[in-house]
Amino acid sequence: MPSKAVQDLIAKAQKRFDLCVQAESQLRSAALDDWRFSVGEQWPADIRSQRTRDGRPCLTMNRLPQFLSQITNDQRQQRPAIRVNPVGDGADKDTADIFEGIIRHIETRSDAEVPRDNAFEQMVTGGFGYYRLLTEWDGEGWDQEIRIEGIRNPFAVYFDPGCRQFDKSDAQFCFIIEDLTPDQYKATFGKSELASLTNWDGLGNQMPRWFPSGSARIAEYFYVEEKRKKQYQLDDGSTVDAVPQGQKSVNEREVPDRKVLWKKINALEVLEEKDWPGKCIPVLPVLGRDVDVDGERTLTGLVRFMKDPQRQYNYFQSASTEAIALAPKAPFIMAAGQAEGYEQKWAQANNANFPYLEYKPKSLDGQPLPPPARSAVEPPIQAMTMMVRQADQDMKAISGLFDPSLGQNKEDQSGKAIQALQRQGQVANVNWTDNLARTIRSEGRQLLELIPKVYTEAKVQRIIAPDGTHSHVIRSEERRVGKE
């Protein structure tokens, strides 16, 4: 039986999780629809069912991956980097270079471009993505390393809906939901009772359907304990939490003292726990267009406003295909009796290629009637083709990516004109890459705070210079030693 403190902690976590689900239900519903739409679920279910029953074409010409790849691949060609600059009294360039080198070592060791790229693609598609920082043991030793890790499903992350900063640095709590098979659960938490968080479901984060024998849902629960403490300024300008004996403070103030705690929980108990060395929850959001409209938050990516022209494109492609393939062949118009004696031949006229067709002349009031003739029926293919082109132009206008940006150039355009149009496409979408750059700056601030707290043991630390060369520093003395 879990203790009262554990029961209270899990009950409070459940209330906070329910608050996240309620606050983000519409936001997540819209984002989930964007994701489904991006992978080809582009027809409303009722319309698709009706057209399928009627035997009518229901084509999906998914143009979105082309536009999404143009933006994500452009970001991969010019990835933002963390730069450390000396600021304030006592800061020097050598120390800044060492910190930057350690950060570059962390990035290389973590393959940091992978989690960042994934979070960026999640943001461009559905409006938000996440990656995280964590600490781990370095091999079999007792040294700790910082690692940058991706979060595969952005819907598995639930942040405090009350935070206001773009990077969620003011969040009071955060959840990361994880599903394990029973075997994985037993291998990791051997003696713990398999108690799944059955009520912890949100849009886009349902239990995996492929688990054949059920799953165990657990949660990583970050939360902040914040107190107030006094700080004192001494004669020499330094700041301390307690005035040393024999000295006097020249100034004092109360400041918040944040402490981040991490617990891994199931429905009954705390499976693992530790204090996080930083003052911010180490989950980094990459957000798209984030606006509040009449008290309702809207978070969008590129897909949201391209859905209607994509639906229009699919519809008119299907309609033109149907009109051409299923249009009836033009019938013959003839007077009664003109096919007399040749009925079988005229019945096959639309299927067989006869060199000639005979008919029986007829007259009306002594006037000869004209020979049989086809009644031409021309489906409005030209109008449908124009609507397809209009839908294509609407997708380009909404995305800001026109033909030169998509590799489709006109023969009468000069190279300079093409480059100018490509630059316009890049400028129209620079907000996406800039949002990632803001998150990476926030990541850099967290790493600068973590490095002195995590790398505490005396050790020869590898650092990486901007040109890719490796150096070493003795961490406790902060001086360079040798080159590789």
Side-chain angles (χ1 to χ4, degrees):
M1 183 70 180
S3 66
K4 180 69 165 55
V6 171
Q7 291 179 18
D8 291 344
L9 182 140
I10 294 176
K12 185 175 183 179
Q14 176 75 65
K15 289 181 180 179
R16 285 179 160 182
F17 180 82
D18 292 342
L19 175 64
C20 293
V21 172
Q22 294 170 12
E24 297 182 353
S25 60
Q26 292 186 358
L27 185 150
R28 286 173 173 259
S29 177
L32 184 59
D33 188 66
D34 293 343
W35 274 101
R36 287 173 173 163
F37 196 92
S38 71
V39 297
E41 297 183 24
Q42 298 180 354
W43 287 85
D46 55 339
I47 295 178
R48 176 179 285 277
S49 298
Q50 182 64 48
R51 292 178 73 92
T52 302
R53 284 197 301 269
D54 295 343
R56 303 177 66 190
C58 196
L59 306 179
T60 300
M61 306 293 188
N62 192 0
R63 299 284 308 280
L64 294 180
Q66 179 187 23
F67 293 94
L68 294 172
S69 295
Q70 183 64 38
I71 294 175
T72 56
N73 291 338
D74 185 54
Q75 177 268 327
R76 292 187 182 194
Q77 289 182 323
Q78 45 184 353
R79 292 189 174 99
I82 296 174
R83 300 296 303 272
V84 180
N85 297 312
V87 178
D89 294 339
D92 62 87
K93 187 176 185 304
D94 288 341
T95 303
D97 289 344
I98 291 172
F99 272 99
E100 189 174 311
I102 295 175
I103 289 173
R104 204 171 287 111
H105 160 73
I106 294 169
E107 291 175 328
T108 302
R109 182 179 177 275
S110 306
D111 291 325
E113 68 274 8
V114 177
R116 291 171 183 167
D117 290 349
N118 288 342
F120 181 80
E121 184 174 357
Q122 292 167 359
M123 177 263 290
V124 175
T125 303
F128 56 89
Y130 300 95
Y131 63 102
R132 65 184 299 184
L133 304 177
L134 53 81
T135 58
E136 61 185 6
W137 297 111
D138 184 11
E140 296 181 355
W142 294 96
D143 292 328
Q144 290 242 304
E145 286 279 357
I146 301 170
R147 186 155 64 89
I148 303 167
E149 185 179 75
I151 298 177
R152 183 175 179 84
N153 181 9
F155 293 92
V157 178
Y158 296 82
F159 255 109
D160 173 11
C163 56
R164 291 291 177 263
Q165 297 297 324
F166 77 94
D167 58 356
K168 311 285 188 182
S169 58
D170 58 336
Q172 295 295 309
F173 58 87
C174 175
F175 299 94
I176 303 176
I177 306 301
E178 182 181 4
D179 291 294
L180 304 175
T181 65
D183 290 341
Q184 288 174 327
Y185 185 91
K186 290 177 183 177
T188 307
F189 312 107
K191 297 181 180 179
S192 174
E193 184 177 349
L194 198 157
S196 181
L197 295 166
T198 54
N199 295 328
W200 294 48
D201 283 334
L203 288 171
N205 189 42
Q206 301 299 315
M207 292 279 190
R209 299 173 184 173
W210 58 269
F211 282 3
S213 56
S215 64
R217 172 158 288 191
I218 59 177
E220 293 185 57
Y221 175 34
F222 293 91
Y223 62 97
V224 174
E225 288 184 350
E226 191 167 297
K227 300 178 181 178
R228 305 291 294 181
K229 69 176 183 179
K230 282 193 174 183
Q231 280 189 343
Y232 303 91
Q233 185 181 24
L234 304 180
D235 293 334
D236 59 1
S238 62
T239 301
V240 295
D241 293 337
V243 180
Q245 188 174 3
Q247 296 190 38
K248 292 183 178 181
S249 64
V250 296
N251 205 354
E252 65 178 62
R253 62 178 178 179
E254 276 198 350
V255 295
D257 183 21
R258 286 171 60 94
K259 183 180 180 181
V260 178
L261 295 94
W262 171 86
K263 300 186 188 299
K264 186 171 283 189
I265 61 175
N266 64 11
L268 292 177
E269 60 186 311
V270 175
L271 304 172
E272 295 177 2
E273 62 182 323
K274 67 179 180 181
D275 293 347
W276 178 251
K279 293 185 178 180
C280 295
I281 294 173
V283 179
L284 296 152
V286 185
L287 305 181
R289 292 189 176 99
D290 190 358
V291 296
D292 284 345
V293 181
D294 195 23
E296 182 178 334
R297 186 183 183 199
T298 303
L299 193 57
T300 60
L302 184 69
V303 173
R304 185 72 51 85
F305 302 110
M306 292 185 68
K307 290 194 287 190
D308 281 346
Q310 175 67 66
R311 289 189 184 102
Q312 186 182 30
Y313 192 89
N314 291 337
Y315 176 80
F316 282 106
Q317 286 282 21
S318 299
S320 60
T321 300
E322 181 181 24
I324 294 172
L326 303 180
K329 294 186 177 180
F332 284 95
I333 304 298
M334 64 176 67
Q338 283 188 305
E340 186 179 344
Y342 309 103
E343 290 89 351
Q344 186 175 0
K345 214 171 184 181
W346 279 98
Q348 300 176 22
N350 276 335
N351 300 317
N353 188 18
F354 295 118
Y356 59 87
L357 290 170
E358 300 161 292
Y359 72 98
K360 196 167 187 178
K362 290 287 183 179
S363 61
L364 182 64
D365 297 331
Q367 298 294 324
L369 295 174
R374 286 187 182 274
S375 175
V377 177
E378 180 67 28
I381 303 301
Q382 185 176 4
M384 295 180 187
T385 302
M386 291 179 64
M387 292 305 298
V388 168
R389 290 178 181 173
Q390 181 61 49
D392 176 68
Q393 289 298 316
D394 288 342
M395 281 190 281
K396 293 172 182 176
I398 290 171
S399 67
L401 297 171
F402 291 91
D403 289 344
S405 297
L406 300 171
Q408 302 170 7
N409 301 325
K410 296 181 180 179
E411 295 181 357
D412 58 348
Q413 285 181 325
S414 67
K416 288 186 176 180
I418 292 171
Q419 290 177 357
L421 291 172
Q422 289 174 339
R423 282 196 297 272
Q424 289 179 6
Q426 292 173 347
V427 170
N429 290 283
V430 74
N431 58 302
W432 307 112
T433 52
D434 187 57
N435 286 359
L436 175 62
R438 293 175 181 178
T439 300
I440 292 177
R441 283 197 297 272
S442 177
E443 174 196 337
R445 287 191 289 268
Q446 290 201 37
L447 288 173
L448 286 175
E449 180 190 8
L450 290 173
I451 287 171
K453 298 177 180 178
V454 175
Y455 298 135
T456 56
E457 300 295 325
K459 179 183 176 182
V460 176
Q461 174 68 49
R462 184 182 77 154
I463 65 174
I464 302 177
D467 60 2
T469 59
H470 298 179
S471 304
H472 286 94
V473 296
I474 299 176
R475 285 204 306 230
S476 60
E477 298 180 13
E478 292 187 349
R479 59 181 176 86
R480 295 181 185 274
V481 288
K483 284 266 186 182
E484 279 192 349

